[in-house]
Amino acid sequence: MNAISSDAGLAEPHLAEVLAAVGLDVEYVRAEGNTLYRLDEQQREAPVLDFVGGFGSLILGHNHPEIVTYAQDLLRSQLPIHAQFSRAAHADRLASALNSVLRRELGDDERYFAIFANSGAEAVEAAVKHAEFDRSLKLAALSEQIDAHVTQARSLVQGGLAVPADSAYARLDEAGPSGDPVQDLEELIAHVERWNAERLSTPPLFLAPEGAFHGKLVGSVQLTHNEAFRTPFKALAAQARFVPLDQPEAIRKTIDAERRVLLDLAVTDGAVTVVEREFPVFCAFVLEPIQGEGGINMVTREFAEAVRSACDAIGCPVVVDEIQSGMGRSGAFLASSLIGLRGDYYTLAKSLGGGVAKTSVVLIRESRYRREFELVHSSTFAKDGFSSLVALKVLELLEADGGRLYRVVAERGRSLRTMLETVRADFPDVLKDVRGAGLMLGVEFQDQSGSTAGAVRDFARSGFLGYAVAGYLLRRHAVRLFPTGSAANTLRLEPSVALTDDEISQLEAALRDVCSVLRDQDEGRFVGA
Ligand code: PMP
């Protein structure tokens, strides 16, 4: 009996075909530092220089020796990995270590409580769920207050101590859904209750910048701007309103356009009046300080300030998604600290697991934290002993020698960027822009949809040019790069902190070559083997 089938091509075969079409369907057999190894025709290892860096999960590189040794030791020691609902001492130590780093970088003493998860999107969903839990508890408290005011008004009117003001009826005639004039207090109350019930049953809204990427799960994909990812699943979750990153003033306008109120009753000087109470329409503003999948777009200090002040004005929490930009990648632990953006929530994932574990976390500011959330949210795998200890080890490496690693990231990033700027200066007709911070850089190609090389033009028009360029660089130069998820004309560079000058030179030669091919519109070379 052969219980295990040998059918090949069952794991996402369509994606495999798409990768194969541009020569990216390579199997790697070993990895270390910034190098992946494939087997050549003679079954010998052939190195490929990796600038994809696990989509940002490898700030320490592939199989960092200290992380690997530590992980091996943990497994050998028979560490309890899955001991759910016991004292999570390792996760607690990790939360404490993360707090120390945040305190140092943000210069603020407020504590952040940690909810652990397994992937980036899951941490975003935990953040969003917590924000909605908070909003719903605030709404429940507001509804209770309104109910108490209604009861009080009713008993005062019944006792002859108050009468509904004419203005109250007038307000309701304007605002009331029925259109019939309101005659007495009970009708007034019925109107208020109907009005409020309608608003209370509407789903919340989120705010996010255009270009945002926060994951592809049911909730998080609605915060991801890319329409191809988002719109087929619109019916499944609450919606976001997207604001352009270069228009900070659009934030307030968007908030004002969605403003809604609940109605309440107030009794002053024996008169019952209808008053408005602000309805918290927005559950959270979610943003990346440096957009990764959106094309390596930096959030400006001015935009960050506008987010903070607009959100403070309506009591809406700011969720700073540092899943790709955090863990030292920008040259600081949090990229948001470079632009003075202060979050109420922070999400971390990717490099938190040191390239070995899958783990993520949402950190929530104490003054916003709802402890009851812990009893309604959990995951079998979150907060496991192995991932928590590996993540602690990662933090230890990042923070060693007074944060030497952050300085190295910044310095390596400068060298890489200088090289990219030089190539761009020589090929301004091919390379449009170089952006980013630290080791999170993007190179945007000029639009090639008018190229006389048919294949280049076709790739450009179908949005695949970035992947075709990636295929070329891999085939010809053994350099691995990918475009960002939602901006296919921008190649993303996220190598590890171990990036060497030789590796930068290898990339330079590869980029200069592909730029020449595109400039010369040399189709034969571009698509040739
Ligand atoms: N947020 C950001 C900023 C990301 O870059 C990503 C992944 N690219 C995610 C969330 C989702 O993370 P994951 O793929 O682990 O679900």
Side-chain angles (χ1 to χ4, degrees):
M1 196 173 84
N2 182 9
I4 303 199
S5 152
S6 58
D7 274 356
L10 297 179
E12 304 194 17
H14 179 57
L15 179 62
E17 277 165 21
V18 172
L19 293 176
V22 281
L24 291 169
D25 60 334
V26 169
E27 182 177 351
Y28 296 103
V29 294
R30 195 167 70 80
E32 69 176 324
N34 287 316
T35 306
L36 282 161
Y37 295 90
R38 57 191 290 182
L39 295 179
D40 66 15
E41 290 81 37
Q42 282 80 45
Q43 300 299 298
R44 288 172 313 202
E45 279 189 354
V48 168
L49 177 56
D50 184 19
F51 277 89
V52 178
F55 289 143
S57 64
L58 297 169
I59 190 66
L60 297 173
H62 290 280
N63 290 312
H64 185 278
E66 272 189 69
I67 298 282
V68 169
T69 307
Y70 183 64
Q72 285 169 335
D73 291 346
L74 290 178
L75 295 178
R76 222 176 280 117
S77 73
Q78 300 194 326
L79 167 85
I81 298 175
H82 294 167
Q84 297 89 342
F85 272 27
S86 59
R87 254 199 71 221
H90 306 313
D92 206 40
R93 277 174 58 207
L94 174 57
S96 161
L98 286 165
N99 265 270
S100 306
V101 180
L102 257 59
R103 209 170 302 127
R104 172 180 54 69
E105 202 154 273
L106 303 175
D108 160 359
D109 275 346
E110 190 164 351
R111 295 191 299 172
Y112 285 82
F113 292 106
I115 302 283
F116 289 93
N118 303 284
S119 68
E122 200 188 319
V124 169
E125 301 236 342
V128 158
K129 251 183 92 178
H130 183 282
E132 179 58 3
F133 193 57
D134 183 36
R135 194 187 75 100
S136 68
L137 290 176
K138 282 186 186 141
L139 268 175
L142 185 56
S143 297
E144 241 175 66
Q145 279 178 13
I146 294 174
D147 288 349
H149 294 159
V150 166
T151 307
Q152 186 196 26
R154 187 180 273 132
S155 77
L156 288 172
V157 170
Q158 281 168 357
L161 295 171
V163 287
D166 287 346
S167 63
Y169 294 140
R171 168 77 185 77
L172 255 281
D173 287 341
E174 271 164 40
S178 75
D180 295 331
V182 178
Q183 306 289 352
D184 65 18
L185 181 75
E186 286 311 314
E187 265 188 73
L188 184 70
I189 291 173
H191 262 79
V192 165
E193 287 176 346
R194 212 163 34 235
W195 170 277
N196 288 349
E198 234 173 70
R199 268 123 207 101
L200 287 166
S201 65
T202 56
L205 287 172
F206 291 91
L207 284 158
E210 288 180 1
F213 185 97
H214 299 290
K216 290 180 179 166
L217 294 183
V218 166
S220 48
V221 80
Q222 293 309 318
L223 310 172
T224 290
H225 187 228
N226 186 322
E227 286 196 17
F229 298 156
R230 174 168 50 92
T231 50
F233 311 103
K234 237 179 141 156
L236 292 178
Q239 300 295 295
R241 297 282 179 262
F242 295 98
V243 288
L245 258 187
D246 59 354
Q247 291 174 34
E249 69 286 356
I251 299 170
R252 270 187 205 274
K253 282 191 197 142
T254 308
I255 290 174
D256 288 346
E258 301 291 347
R259 184 173 178 252
R260 265 169 255 163
V261 291
L262 292 183
L263 298 181
D264 193 2
L265 296 185
V267 182
T268 12
D269 300 332
V272 180
T273 56
V274 174
V275 292
E276 291 183 350
R277 307 288 298 271
E278 207 61 39
F279 176 78
V281 173
F282 289 99
C283 182
F285 196 125
V286 188
L287 80 163
E288 306 147 87
I290 305 172
Q291 290 186 337
E293 306 305 331
I296 314 294
N297 304 312
M298 310 279 289
V299 168
T300 60
R301 205 167 259 279
E302 192 194 357
F303 190 86
E305 274 164 20
V307 169
R308 194 65 266 179
S309 69
C311 287
D312 284 346
I314 57 166
C316 171
V318 176
V319 178
V320 177
D321 183 346
E322 292 266 10
I323 285 167
Q324 191 158 163
S325 57
M327 302 301 298
R329 184 153 290 284
S330 69
F333 182 77
L334 298 173
S336 49
S337 71
L338 300 173
I339 49 165
L341 171 62
R342 178 59 59 85
D344 300 302
Y345 298 48
Y346 292 93
T347 52
L348 293 167
K350 297 206 190 243
S351 287
L352 181 63
V356 167
K358 292 183 193 175
T359 187
S360 64
V361 68
V362 51
L363 296 162
I364 303 170
R365 185 195 280 277
E366 183 162 18
S367 52
R368 292 262 181 194
Y369 190 59
R370 300 281 192 173
R371 316 172 73 85
E372 311 89 303
F373 184 71
E374 295 162 26
L375 305 178
V376 297
H377 183 87
S378 66
S379 155
T380 300
F381 295 109
K383 218 166 57 171
D384 69 283
F386 179 76
S387 308
S388 303
L389 284 171
V390 168
L392 256 173
K393 185 78 187 166
V394 172
L395 281 190
E396 216 176 87
L397 293 173
L398 298 189
E399 292 280 308
D401 303 327
R404 184 176 155 274
L405 185 136
Y406 308 123
R407 294 190 291 279
V408 177
V409 168
E411 184 279 318
R412 293 286 74 202
R414 275 193 297 275
S415 294
L416 181 56
R417 191 184 181 124
T418 304
M419 178 279 279
L420 297 171
E421 303 271 15
T422 317
V423 179
R424 190 182 95 84
D426 291 343
F427 292 91
D429 49 326
V430 181
L431 298 185
K432 186 173 174 188
D433 195 15
V434 174
R435 299 186 285 273
L439 289 170
M440 183 167 179
L441 298 175
V443 180
E444 185 178 353
F445 281 70
Q446 298 281 10
D447 180 21
Q448 301 289 332
S449 56
S451 174
T452 55
V456 172
R457 193 174 58 235
D458 290 349
F459 278 126
R461 290 187 180 170
S462 60
F464 274 93
L465 184 71
Y467 288 94
V469 169
Y472 179 87
L473 293 172
L474 184 61
R475 264 192 329 272
R476 296 274 181 156
H477 296 276
V479 171
R480 185 172 130 95
L481 282 168
F482 279 139
T484 59
S486 302
N489 258 6
T490 299
L491 291 181
R492 157 227 330 248
L493 294 94
E494 295 191 14
S496 84
V497 65
L499 183 69
T500 64
D501 288 342
D502 281 352
E503 289 169 340
I504 295 176
S505 302
Q506 190 182 335
L507 175 65
E508 177 170 5
L511 279 179
R512 284 187 180 279
D513 176 43
V514 80
C515 285
S516 304
V517 169
L518 290 174
R519 171 179 283 172
D520 299 345
Q521 312 203 354
D522 184 346
E523 177 164 2
R525 189 163 160 78
F526 190 64
V527 296

